[in-house]
Amino acid sequence: MRIFTTLTVCLFSLGKLTSQTKPVNLSPLSIEQIMQGEGFIGALPENIAWSEDSRTVFFSWNPDLDTLRSTYRIDVANASAKPEKLNLDELKTMTGRGSYNRDFTQKLYSKNGDLFLRNMPDKVPNHKQAAMNPTLPPLLQITNTTETESSPRFSGDETKIIYERFDNLYAWDIATGTTTQLTDFKRGADRSKERKKSPENQLLEIDQLNMFGILSERKADREAQNRQREALKPTRPKTIFYGEKRLSAMTESPDLHYITFNLTAEVPGEQTDVPSYVTESGKVENLKSRPKVGGAQDETTLGIWDRQRDTFYFVETKNLEGIRQKPLFLRDYFHQEVLPSGDTTSWEPLYKNPKTVNVLDPIFSADGKAVLVVLSHDNKDRWICLLDLDSGGLKQLDHQHDEAWIGGPGIGGWSGSSGNFGWVNNSTVWFQSEETGYSHLYTVNVITGEKQALTSGKFEILDVELSLDKRFFYLNSNKETPFEHHFYRLPIAGGNMEKLTSMPGNNDVTLSPDERWLAIRYSYSNKPWELFIQENKAGAKPIQVTHSTTAEFNKYPWREPELVWFKASDDVEVPARLYRPKAGLRNGAAVVFVHGAGYLQNVHSWWSSYYREFMFHNFLADNGFTVLDVDYRGSQGYGRDWRTAIYRHMGGKDLSDQVDAAHYLAEQEGISPERIGIYGGSYGGFITLMAMFTANGTFRSGAALRSVTDWAHYNHGYTSNILNTPLEDSIAYRLSSPIYHAEGFNQGDLVMLHGMVDTNVEFQDVVRLSQRLIELKKENWELAVFPLEDHGFVEPSSWTDEYRRIWELFWRTLR
């Protein structure tokens, strides 16, 4: 073995080393240049927010490439002017995000742990002017403490401000300034109650009191004083001791009659250690990382405190539809047995006990009804229910079951999210569901149970917002094409989706508080994100506010990748982006890029989150390579069946799509089948390994970056959705983990690259695979390690070194 070192990277190489001749670059771009990130491209606008009066847009920007970003503003009335940078005093007075009252005349927000109320009398309707409190200043600081007050919101009648402090709810009366504590939750057990005396001690005490009159008199006096003290006590909320669970999500009904709260039984997962070798202290330091898939998970219940009855109880879920249903994959592990009677055992589709679920916090209607989401721990069921606040019972409004896993835009499921849902009025709830195979918008009447689909078709609703007057929904959708995102307006009862944005690409809209304006963060496939402002009406012209890209970036004529579809071996059409070299430069070689995350879209008409790879693909095309970037099965943006096609077999359809991409390149683009490479990071690195180990020489070489090598070593939330758990579904884990297929690495060259302080896909993954390759006596592989990099690289020097190695691999093996 030979070892190569630089200041930022160590390269370990095993087996035959081929020629290390330095590549000849034909591109005007350089690897070092395109790996500088913002330093080369420019700092793009982010974190868009509106002023309360809808006259000004604030955003994070750094056009001069200073050390830190700054906050800028642009006035709608003068949107074509140069944006202004806020100074320190102006930043201190910014309100930030918050909640409004129903008339949009007051705004609540928290800042630096304190609460503020902004009054906007110019927005008060004339008929309500007399009801305004004339003593309230334009900006009122409600609290100024060293403790943290958070989550302010208006009570149902808007006379009080409800907020959280030290895991309890408080109400501040706007008219009087009086603060009332609404809850008294305390961790631990109630230790104030006297321990019950044993029969022997009780007998002894009775004997003492009967024998000594003074002791009896003193006890009677003490008890009388206690009764008087209790009678004179002010009214306080009932103390609720909740043990050692974690308290969260305290929510009050509009009339403050009920308080709901989540209690989570936390399971102490066994965290893993990630050693950091290059540290300020000069000593090896251990970073704590997440537990591995398969361990016991936290369980969340919902409690209800009835303030009027002074009692609390918990939501009951045992009668929900399908809550005892076993997942079908367990049938693969069922073994029929012959009983002594001669009968044989049969598959039992139901559990004896209900599945473990998490009950999430409710949303209240104006008249006090509550709806909530219940998620099963195996993430194969989601229930939307009406909550009976008096009893804790549930009325099921919608049940979504998926033998793979619950997911999709606006659906929730991932990380215990409720997804998008809310009240249209006091009888109707809106929500998103993949019932048809695509995420769409629905309503359900909580009284009758009648459900209505408001959108339908082979496209997805990506996000939903209800208008202030509740006459419309505002939607983000890929209705026209999966490759573009636009902003739409939909009547509350359904009907025509009115398209409000017009620029081809991605239109990421932040609606102004008065809903008259759109702040659009827009990009195209070869044009990075910029900020535009547009009136909220179809056909209105967007005005560009920012010009962020550098002169150096603008010099290069960036390609617009061609959007293509190719037919997979199972006759499914697969989308891809194609980068072609100029006719005279074509060298007959190609590279297939595999995006990361799995559930992510990279074939589209907007500026990619993989922008370094986009620029690298232009660099490769300048050097004669054709590049194909595939949205394989499992990617985002194409509906439920595409999303779940990798269930129980990662490295199945997602990998065969890469193999079919190589065939497409050979058959349609004139690429030599022996001169195709593959690369990608994270999930893309995993697919690269599976390709090199199992795809029978389809790819001449591969570069696997920060790769998962054994899914049993990844996290629970992501992995258990797709592969279940290692104990329950060992078949899926063995099928899907490259380390079990390493024996198949017999052709081609492989470079693996990994950050040593990666707390997502841990460095241990690639070390274990390296040892496996060593014991299998495999040749023609190399490992490059980056001592100071986590999963997402930060340093331009590391990015440069990494992509230089990838470039050299492809130049050496494919040209």
Side-chain angles (χ1 to χ4, degrees):
M1 177 183 289
R2 300 187 187 183
I3 301 176
F4 301 86
T5 62
T6 70
L7 289 177
T8 60
V9 61
C10 300
L11 175 66
F12 301 90
S13 181
L14 183 74
K16 295 184 294 184
L17 291 175
T18 53
S19 170
Q20 297 295 316
T21 306
K22 191 174 180 64
V24 176
N25 179 21
L26 304 177
S27 174
L29 302 168
S30 70
I31 297 289
E32 182 175 10
Q33 181 184 40
I34 61 179
M35 293 298 148
Q36 298 305 305
E38 287 188 347
F40 173 59
I41 299 167
L44 312 180
E46 299 174 350
N47 302 327
I48 314 301
W50 283 91
S51 61
E52 293 87 353
D53 60 10
S54 300
R55 296 172 182 169
T56 305
V57 178
F58 300 97
F59 56 98
S60 170
W61 201 31
N62 189 10
D64 300 322
L65 297 179
D66 294 333
T67 303
L68 299 176
R69 282 177 164 265
S70 299
T71 300
Y72 283 74
R73 68 173 167 223
I74 189 70
D75 292 333
V76 171
N78 197 15
S80 58
K82 183 179 179 181
E84 298 177 354
K85 183 194 293 189
L86 272 64
N87 60 40
L88 191 60
D89 290 335
E90 290 171 320
L91 285 172
K92 288 180 180 179
T93 62
M94 281 191 67
T95 61
R97 302 184 187 276
S99 59
Y100 292 86
N101 64 352
R102 284 188 290 271
D103 286 335
F104 235 74
T105 58
Q106 293 180 314
K107 178 184 178 182
L108 280 171
Y109 64 96
S110 61
K111 188 173 184 178
N112 300 322
D114 292 317
L115 306 181
F116 296 82
L117 174 63
R118 181 175 289 280
N119 291 279
M120 299 172 283
D122 58 318
K123 299 180 71 63
V124 180
N126 291 333
H127 68 281
K128 292 193 176 183
Q129 289 280 354
M132 282 288 292
N133 186 339
T135 64
L136 290 177
L139 181 62
L140 177 65
Q141 183 166 356
I142 300 169
T143 64
N144 187 356
T145 70
T146 57
E147 293 151 358
T148 298
E149 293 87 26
S150 62
S151 305
R153 60 264 194 184
F154 290 96
S155 61
D157 60 8
E158 298 190 338
T159 63
K160 300 176 181 65
I161 291 170
I162 314 300
Y163 64 92
E164 298 180 21
R165 179 184 181 191
F166 282 147
D167 284 340
N168 276 297
L169 288 183
Y170 294 80
W172 182 78
D173 191 291
I174 297 175
T176 66
T178 303
T179 298
T180 302
Q181 185 170 346
L182 299 179
T183 65
D184 188 25
F185 292 113
K186 290 185 178 178
R187 190 180 183 92
D190 185 359
R191 303 187 186 280
S192 65
K193 297 178 181 178
E194 293 185 11
R195 290 183 179 179
K196 187 176 181 180
K197 297 180 177 68
S198 67
E200 294 81 4
N201 288 336
Q202 289 182 35
L203 180 62
L204 181 62
E205 182 178 322
I206 292 171
D207 213 20
Q208 290 290 96
L209 293 173
N210 288 336
M211 184 174 295
F212 302 105
I214 292 177
L215 289 181
S216 181
E217 290 173 5
R218 288 179 178 178
K219 181 181 180 184
D221 290 345
R222 186 171 64 250
E223 290 174 346
Q225 290 173 0
N226 288 339
R227 287 193 298 271
Q228 184 183 54
R229 188 162 48 247
E230 287 296 319
L232 293 174
K233 271 186 177 181
T235 302
R236 301 289 193 213
K238 179 185 181 70
T239 301
I240 298 176
F241 290 90
Y242 57 89
E244 299 306 315
K245 296 180 179 180
R246 174 168 50 84
L247 176 73
S248 64
M250 292 176 290
T251 309
E252 70 286 349
S253 63
D255 60 1
L256 304 183
H257 183 157
Y258 301 97
I259 305 290
T260 66
F261 54 94
N262 280 138
L263 287 181
T264 301
E266 296 182 295
V267 178
E270 186 177 350
Q271 288 186 304
T272 49
D273 291 326
V274 176
S276 177
Y277 293 94
V278 182
T279 64
E280 292 182 9
S281 68
K283 300 177 181 179
V284 176
E285 299 173 3
N286 276 332
L287 307 176
K288 290 298 181 183
S289 186
R290 75 303 183 277
K292 298 182 180 183
V293 60
Q297 298 301 300
D298 296 349
E299 183 177 351
T300 299
T301 57
L302 184 75
I304 304 170
W305 177 38
D306 185 328
R307 297 179 67 227
Q308 293 184 7
R309 291 189 291 165
D310 198 20
T311 184
F312 71 94
Y313 38 92
F314 291 91
V315 170
E316 182 56 67
T317 62
K318 64 182 180 182
N319 294 321
L320 290 174
E321 176 189 353
I323 200 165
R324 288 180 170 80
Q325 182 177 335
K326 291 180 181 178
L328 292 179
F329 80 86
L330 291 176
R331 295 192 67 166
D332 290 353
Y333 299 92
F334 170 72
H335 299 290
Q336 194 175 66
E337 298 177 1
V338 179
L339 301 174
S341 63
D343 296 331
T344 56
T345 57
S346 60
W347 162 256
E348 174 53 59
L350 299 179
Y351 290 116
K352 291 182 179 179
N353 298 312
K355 290 198 285 191
T356 305
V357 298
N358 286 336
V359 186
L360 306 183
D361 51 307
I363 296 177
F364 285 92
S365 64
D367 66 354
K369 297 185 187 74
V371 290
L372 54 77
V373 167
V374 180
L375 293 173
S376 63
H377 264 207
D378 63 11
N379 205 19
K380 298 183 189 298
D381 292 274
R382 181 199 71 173
W383 298 269
I384 298 177
C385 302
L386 179 70
L387 171 62
D388 183 343
L389 290 160
D390 285 331
S391 67
L394 297 175
K395 175 186 176 181
Q396 184 175 301
L397 301 174
D398 182 73
H399 175 211
Q400 184 176 328
H401 175 78
D402 198 314
E403 278 298 329
W405 72 95
I406 298 293
I411 308 298
W414 295 98
S415 303
S417 166
S418 296
N420 293 335
F421 77 112
W423 289 92
V424 175
N425 52 47
N426 289 330
S427 62
T428 306
V429 171
W430 65 267
F431 63 97
Q432 287 181 252
S433 171
E434 275 189 327
E435 180 177 322
T436 64
Y438 293 84
S439 179
H440 279 292
L441 178 63
Y442 294 79
T443 58
V444 61
N445 187 296
V446 301
I447 309 301
T448 66
E450 180 182 357
K451 187 167 65 173
Q452 179 185 1
L454 301 185
T455 62
S456 62
K458 292 185 177 182
F459 62 91
E460 294 194 307
I461 302 300
L462 307 171
D463 204 2
V464 181
E465 183 177 350
L466 188 61
S467 67
L468 293 175
D469 59 13
K470 297 192 174 183
R471 294 174 54 221
F472 299 98
F473 290 105
Y474 288 104
L475 311 175
N476 183 15
S477 177
N478 59 4
K479 183 177 186 292
E480 292 191 348
T481 167
F483 310 131
E484 293 188 12
H485 289 177
H486 285 281
F487 197 63
Y488 296 84
R489 181 164 47 211
L490 176 74
I492 200 71
N496 179 54
M497 287 174 58
E498 181 186 17
K499 183 180 171 186
L500 299 174
T501 52
S502 58
M503 295 182 287
N506 193 335
N507 297 263
D508 182 13
V509 171
T510 303
L511 195 61
S512 66
D514 63 6
E515 298 182 359
R516 291 181 56 203
W517 299 94
L518 312 179
I520 307 172
R521 190 167 173 264
Y522 166 78
S523 73
Y524 191 61
S525 56
N526 58 357
K527 296 176 182 178
W529 297 96
E530 299 288 5
L531 177 61
F532 291 73
I533 291 177
Q534 177 192 310
E535 285 187 79
N536 183 11
K537 62 181 182 182
K541 181 181 179 181
I543 300 172
Q544 186 167 349
V545 173
T546 60
H547 297 82
S548 307
T549 50
T550 65
E552 188 179 14
F553 176 86
N554 294 335
K555 285 180 184 177
Y556 182 83
W558 299 101
R559 288 169 176 80
E560 179 183 337
E562 182 182 351
L563 299 171
V564 299
W565 296 82
F566 64 86
K567 184 170 288 190
S569 53
D570 58 356
D571 290 332
V572 171
E573 293 289 329
V574 179
R577 295 207 298 186
L578 182 63
Y579 299 75
R580 284 195 181 97
K582 293 180 180 179
L585 291 175
R586 290 169 62 92
N587 63 12
V591 171
V592 173
F593 172 65
V594 190
H595 68 70
Y599 190 60
L600 178 146
Q601 184 177 4
N602 202 47
V603 176
H604 49 59
S605 296
W606 61 85
W607 187 247
S608 176
S609 57
Y610 286 93
Y611 56 85
R612 287 184 179 87
E613 287 77 2
F614 166 81
M615 294 187 290
F616 182 57
H617 298 163
N618 276 268
F619 171 89
L620 288 176
D622 288 344
N623 281 283
F625 293 85
T626 300
V627 181
L628 195 64
D629 170 2
V630 181
D631 265 356
Y632 49 87
R633 250 72 71 90
S635 297
Q636 187 176 11
Y638 307 95
R640 181 265 172 198
D641 289 349
W642 201 268
R643 174 177 67 82
T644 61
I646 58 173
Y647 178 57
R648 299 191 69 204
H649 191 186
M650 292 191 276
K653 292 296 184 185
D654 45 1
L655 173 59
S656 64
D657 286 345
Q658 317 300 329
V659 173
D660 292 333
H663 296 159
Y664 166 83
L665 287 167
E667 295 166 7
Q668 301 297 323
E669 295 297 321
I671 300 301
S672 172
E674 296 80 23
R675 298 170 60 201
I676 301 175
I678 186 170
Y679 88 104
S682 194
Y683 198 97
F686 149 72
I687 287 291
T688 298
L689 292 176
M690 291 294 275
M692 298 302 294
F693 295 171
T694 69
N696 298 318
T698 301
F699 299 100
R700 172 62 182 82
S701 56
L705 295 63
R706 49 194 177 275
S707 314
V708 176
T709 69
D710 186 344
W711 287 107
H713 288 254
Y714 197 50
N715 68 33
H716 185 88
Y718 180 93
T719 319
S720 64
N721 280 341
I722 305 172
L723 300 180
N724 304 305
T725 64
L727 282 177
E728 289 181 310
D729 202 356
S730 58
I731 294 171
Y733 280 81
R734 283 185 170 268
L735 274 175
S736 303
S737 296
I739 199 166
Y740 292 106
H741 302 279
E743 290 184 4
F745 178 49
N746 297 312
Q747 301 180 56
D749 289 56
L750 172 64
V751 171
M752 299 183 293
L753 310 103
H754 214 113
M756 293 182 73
V757 289
D758 191 334
T759 56
N760 181 13
V761 179
E762 296 169 1
F763 184 59
Q764 181 192 23
D765 261 54
V766 77
V767 173
R768 292 179 69 245
L769 179 59
S770 297
Q771 180 61 29
R772 180 68 176 147
L773 292 172
I774 290 169
E775 292 186 11
L776 290 170
K777 299 181 175 60
K778 297 299 180 180
E779 300 181 353
N780 299 327
W781 64 275
E782 298 173 344
L783 170 63
V785 301
F786 298 79
L788 285 174
E789 295 295 355
D790 200 335
H791 195 63
F793 280 20
V794 174
E795 300 301 329
S797 57
S798 299
W799 280 106
T800 301
D801 193 282
E802 182 179 47
Y803 274 78
R804 175 184 59 79
R805 296 182 187 279
I806 298 169
W807 160 231
E808 289 175 352
L809 171 72
F810 291 147
W811 188 86
R812 171 170 54 85
T813 60
L814 303 181
R815 65 185 177 87

